[in-house]
């Protein structure tokens, strides 16, 4: 099994990263340079204007450690594609499955089921801690999502699965603000808006989802799957559909939960956001640092995987899931088992 | 991951000795971090430990120099006391710059 290594995030503008005796040497605005040995890292994520020497990029590519470039505000820009080492037979099996409508439907159904189940768990967990008459509303939404899970086996096409998922998503986002217990007048959410984000929650969600999607893309590539050929998500040029598929089950568990925790602990407050004209919101640098630190801590937290029954750090779950999906595609496993959070 | 303390004494009277010193330091930097002038802390897997030991032994002159590897007891922060200027970085903590 893979070892959980750390990811280095660099978001100070104007930093300069170079390779020095198997270390990354980081110069950040005139401070004494810092060295990070490469063997502690599994990837590098840089925000905006951060310079990397070609030698460093080559070395990271050779060791299969991807570099991800995001804009200063966390929007995905590029990612190094390291030499494909995976099994070509596995990729052929994956493409075969993607071309077969009934098999695609089966996988998509399981992915959606995992996502809905985890949304339900998240709602019910929050309901235990919520105040006033919120628990009832949260449980109500969870019941609604439960009903949608029941509809999944009846879906005849992937489009129907997406429709069911959409209905559940509407139920979920409607009650999402009820899970927040601090600064409620500031943190509200009318609808999910992607780019540009219209409110603080959307801005945070977009940011955390980008980070998570990159991890899932790495996981898919790590086991030799093609991250662009997905099942629940439609194929579209330049979109990592499989990474988004793998992410579905983890959205509520990893991303949404993290945001709820940070807001409820009042670590994330209205002061961490900048409101621009024209109704757009961005997150301040310090707050992004805080979110990344929280996510990294969370990655180390151990959960018992329902299928392998082994204690697994949350950060490795995408890798375990990618492996299980590969087993299903190869025909070693009858179904793709989604990750279900307790 | 295993934590080790690597210390070395390399005889620098000759220019060949000074060269060895630089090369030993390089090998140590590529596996861990410098905590004092000739003292490194490394955190390595079993396989990396073999590589590190092999590379160190290839650099030194056994009649002139000495190298000591101490296995640190884990968890490190419970058993290591550091005073004064300490630039140790724990690489499994979130790395955000």
């Amino acid at each position: 099994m893979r070892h959980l290594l750390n990811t280095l995030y660099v978001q100070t503008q104007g930093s300069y990263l170079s390779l020095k005796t198997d270390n990354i040497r980081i110069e950040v605005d005139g401070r004494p340079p810092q060295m990070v040995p490469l063997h502690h890292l599994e990837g590098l994520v840089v925000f905006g204007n951060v310079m990397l020497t070609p030698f460093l990029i080559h070395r990271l590519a050779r060791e299969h450690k991807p570099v991800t470039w995001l804009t200063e505000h966390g929007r995905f820009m590029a990612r190094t594609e390291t030499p494909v080492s995976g099994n070509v037979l596995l990729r052929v099996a994956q493409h075969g499955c993607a071309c077969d409508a009934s098999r695609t439907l089966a996988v998509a159904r399981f992915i959606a089921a995992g996502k809905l189940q985890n949304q339900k768990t998240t709602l019910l967990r929050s309901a235990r801690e919520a105040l006033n008459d919120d628990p009832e509303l949260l449980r109500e939404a969870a019941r609604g999502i439960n009903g949608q899970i029941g509809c999944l086996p009846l879906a005849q096409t992937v489009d129907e699965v997406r429709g069911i998922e959409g209905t559940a998503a509407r139920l979920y986002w409607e009650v999402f603000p009820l899970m927040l217990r601090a600064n409620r007048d500031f943190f509200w959410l009318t609808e999910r808006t992607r780019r540009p984000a219209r409110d603080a929650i959307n801005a945070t969600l977009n940011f955390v989802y980008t980070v998570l999607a990159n991890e899932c893309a790495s996981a898919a590539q790590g086991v030799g799957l093609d991250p662009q050929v997905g099942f629940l998500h439609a194929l579209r040029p330049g979109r990592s559909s499989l990474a988004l598929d793998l992410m579905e089950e983890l959205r509520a568990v990893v991303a949404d939960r993290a945001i709820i925790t940070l807001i409820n602990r009042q670590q994330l407050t209205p002061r961490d956001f900048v409101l621009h004209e024209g109704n757009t919101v961005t997150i301040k640098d310090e707050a992004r640092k805080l979110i990344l630190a929280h996510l990294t801590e969370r990655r180390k937290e151990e959960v018992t995987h329902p299928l392998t029954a082994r204690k697994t750090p949350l950060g490795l779950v995408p890798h375990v899931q990618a492996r299980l999906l590969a087993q299903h595609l190869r025909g070693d496993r009858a179904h793709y088992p989604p990750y279900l959070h307790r | 991951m295993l934590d080790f303390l690597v210390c070395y004494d390399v005889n620098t009277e000759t220019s060949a000795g000074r060269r060895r010193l630089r090369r030993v330091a390089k090998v140590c930097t590529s596996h861990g971090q410098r905590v004092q002038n000739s003292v490194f802390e490394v955190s390595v897997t079993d396989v990396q430990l073999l590589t590190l030991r092999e590379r160190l032994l290839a650099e030194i002159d056994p009649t002139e120099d000495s190298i000591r590897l101490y296995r640190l007891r884990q968890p490190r922060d419970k058993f290591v006391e550091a005073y004064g200027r300490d630039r140790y970085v724990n690489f499994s903590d979130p790395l955000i710059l």
Side-chain angles (χ1 to χ4, degrees):
Chain A
M1 196 60 232
R2 273 186 76 248
H3 203 81
L4 182 60
L5 293 174
N6 215 338
T7 307
L8 173 66
Y9 297 92
V10 183
Q11 56 165 0
T12 309
Q13 299 302 294
S15 323
Y16 183 78
L17 275 62
S18 52
L19 178 69
K20 192 166 189 217
T21 49
D22 302 326
N23 282 233
I24 298 185
R25 182 173 188 270
I26 307 148
E27 287 171 71
V28 179
D29 37 62
R31 273 186 271 158
Q34 211 172 330
M35 308 275 274
V36 182
L38 282 173
H39 72 248
H40 286 289
L41 297 179
E42 69 169 16
L44 176 62
V45 179
V46 300
F47 294 78
N49 178 24
V50 173
M51 281 152 286
L52 279 75
T53 61
F55 297 108
L56 176 61
I57 299 174
H58 293 178
R59 178 62 185 272
L60 288 166
R62 202 187 320 144
E63 298 193 0
H64 300 283
K65 298 176 182 195
V67 185
T68 309
W69 283 272
L70 308 178
T71 64
E72 203 183 332
H73 304 292
R75 182 173 182 181
F76 179 77
M77 281 286 124
R79 185 164 181 283
T80 47
E81 190 84 15
T82 54
V84 183
S85 58
N87 187 339
V88 65
L89 299 176
L90 174 61
R91 283 202 302 283
V92 170
Q94 183 187 0
H95 294 167
C97 177
C99 295
D100 180 337
S102 65
R103 289 187 64 197
T104 302
L105 174 64
V107 177
R109 229 187 239 153
F110 277 106
I111 292 171
K115 175 185 183 173
L116 265 48
Q117 181 66 38
N118 285 339
Q119 284 184 334
K120 195 180 98 184
T121 316
T122 308
L123 289 177
L124 289 177
R125 199 188 133 179
S126 284
R128 287 204 291 275
E129 298 159 356
L131 313 163
N132 307 332
D133 42 354
D134 293 347
E136 208 26 64
L137 291 167
L138 289 172
R139 286 202 190 93
E140 181 67 42
R143 267 195 295 278
I145 291 175
N146 207 21
Q148 295 300 318
I149 299 176
C151 295
L152 277 174
L154 307 173
Q156 296 292 319
T157 60
V158 177
D159 272 335
E160 281 178 40
V161 175
R162 288 184 198 129
I164 293 170
E165 188 203 338
T167 315
R170 217 166 18 255
L171 292 168
Y172 179 75
W173 292 115
E174 248 170 36
V175 295
F176 186 83
L178 300 182
M179 296 197 263
L180 309 173
R181 282 174 318 211
N183 295 311
R184 271 211 178 167
D185 42 344
F186 180 79
F187 291 110
W188 44 262
L189 178 115
T190 38
E191 53 167 351
R192 275 286 287 138
T193 54
R194 306 273 263 285
R195 316 259 169 211
R198 297 285 178 203
D199 57 63
I201 296 187
N202 273 305
T204 323
L205 283 170
N206 292 344
F207 177 66
V208 177
Y209 285 162
T210 311
V211 174
L212 190 58
N214 281 322
E215 272 172 30
C216 291
S218 308
Q221 256 169 351
V223 298
L225 288 167
D226 183 340
Q228 296 206 326
V229 179
F231 302 99
L232 180 61
H233 286 82
L235 304 185
R236 197 187 289 166
R239 183 204 237 182
S240 297
S241 300
L242 184 68
L244 296 175
D245 282 0
L246 284 176
M247 185 167 114
E248 287 300 351
E249 302 140 35
L250 298 168
R251 279 180 201 261
V253 176
V254 178
D256 302 354
R257 194 78 244 172
I259 296 167
I260 296 168
T261 308
L262 286 173
I263 292 178
N264 284 350
R265 283 198 208 141
Q266 307 217 16
Q267 285 175 286
L268 215 55
T269 57
R271 257 168 292 148
D272 292 319
F273 297 90
V274 191
L275 305 166
H276 299 285
E277 280 194 34
N279 251 345
T280 59
V281 181
T282 47
I283 317 170
K284 283 187 190 160
D285 265 6
E286 281 307 306
R288 261 191 287 144
K289 217 176 249 190
L290 175 95
I291 297 170
L292 287 175
H294 179 75
L295 287 176
T296 315
E297 281 300 323
R298 199 75 218 285
R299 270 159 57 82
K300 282 190 273 183
E301 218 168 89
E302 293 202 323
V303 291
T304 308
H305 194 281
L307 197 85
T308 58
R310 253 189 297 181
K311 284 211 164 174
T312 318
L314 202 50
L316 273 187
V317 170
H319 296 268
V320 177
Q321 289 308 116
R323 192 149 300 185
L324 292 172
L325 180 61
Q327 288 175 359
H328 166 65
L329 295 174
R330 255 195 248 114
D332 298 342
R333 194 176 275 284
H335 303 293
Y336 164 65
Y339 170 71
L340 302 178
H341 198 67
R342 267 190 305 135
Chain B
M1 287 285 199
L2 311 165
D3 288 343
F4 277 89
L5 192 71
V6 184
C7 319
Y8 54 79
D9 240 349
V10 178
N11 193 332
T12 53
E13 276 161 17
T14 61
S15 72
R18 286 190 285 277
R19 182 164 178 270
R20 287 201 306 276
L21 177 77
R22 280 198 304 276
R23 296 182 63 107
V24 168
K26 249 188 181 175
V27 172
C28 293
T29 346
S30 67
H31 286 82
Q33 53 184 320
R34 186 169 234 142
V35 288
Q36 282 182 357
N37 279 341
S38 42
V39 180
F40 280 79
E41 275 190 34
V42 299
S43 171
V44 285
T45 59
D46 298 346
V47 181
Q48 285 164 343
L49 176 64
L50 292 178
T51 329
L52 171 63
R53 192 184 289 130
E54 199 72 0
R55 285 178 67 186
L56 285 172
L57 293 181
E59 297 298 348
I60 59 160
D61 176 351
T63 54
E64 299 269 334
D65 316 330
S66 96
I67 286 190
R68 307 181 76 89
L69 292 169
Y70 297 91
R71 171 86 185 266
L72 291 179
R73 219 168 138 190
Q74 279 161 325
R76 177 195 176 274
D77 46 352
K78 216 168 161 188
F79 296 103
V80 175
E81 292 180 39
Y83 302 102
R85 215 169 69 101
D86 183 26
R87 291 201 305 168
Y88 177 83
V89 186
N90 186 350
F91 290 116
S92 44
D93 281 350
L95 291 171
I96 301 156
L97 294 166

